[in-house]
Amino acid sequence: MTAKVTLSFSDDTIEEARRFAKREGLSLSAWMDQAAREKALREVFTAHADAVNRAGLDLETAAVADAREVAMVDDVLFGGRPRAA
């Protein structure tokens, strides 16, 4: 479903948006839709990262530890041979 809305942009902003849309082979509407969606996702991911940091979680360290554990288990189970896909 598509909603029709009226928006106002500065001349510079709309000029750049038109240039980027043309460069990417998109209509201005499609390019603006994509840009707005990307901005919204960045906001959500940033808020999530901020919440994780406030909670004191270190997901990167946990992921590295998990990878090491998987490698150790693989070594025990497969003796250094690659596991079947």
Side-chain angles (χ1 to χ4, degrees):
M1 184 172 229
T2 301
K4 298 271 185 188
V5 296
T6 301
L7 302 170
S8 298
F9 297 96
S10 71
D11 291 339
D12 291 341
T13 298
I14 202 67
E15 181 182 321
E16 287 182 24
R18 284 186 174 124
R19 188 175 76 247
F20 287 129
K22 183 177 181 179
R23 183 182 72 189
E24 294 179 26
L26 297 171
S27 68
L28 179 60
S29 291
W31 190 87
M32 295 296 276
D33 182 69
Q34 180 179 326
R37 184 179 313 274
E38 289 173 3
K39 172 67 173 167
L41 287 174
R42 277 194 306 275
E43 293 290 329
V44 168
F45 290 134
T46 299
H48 179 263
D50 290 345
V52 166
N53 288 334
R54 282 193 309 275
L57 301 175
D58 186 354
L59 299 180
E60 186 173 346
T61 299
V64 169
D66 287 349
R68 283 193 201 119
E69 188 174 336
V70 167
M72 288 187 311
V73 169
D74 281 356
D75 191 46
V76 169
L77 293 177
F78 304 107
R81 296 181 314 272
R83 69 168 115 164

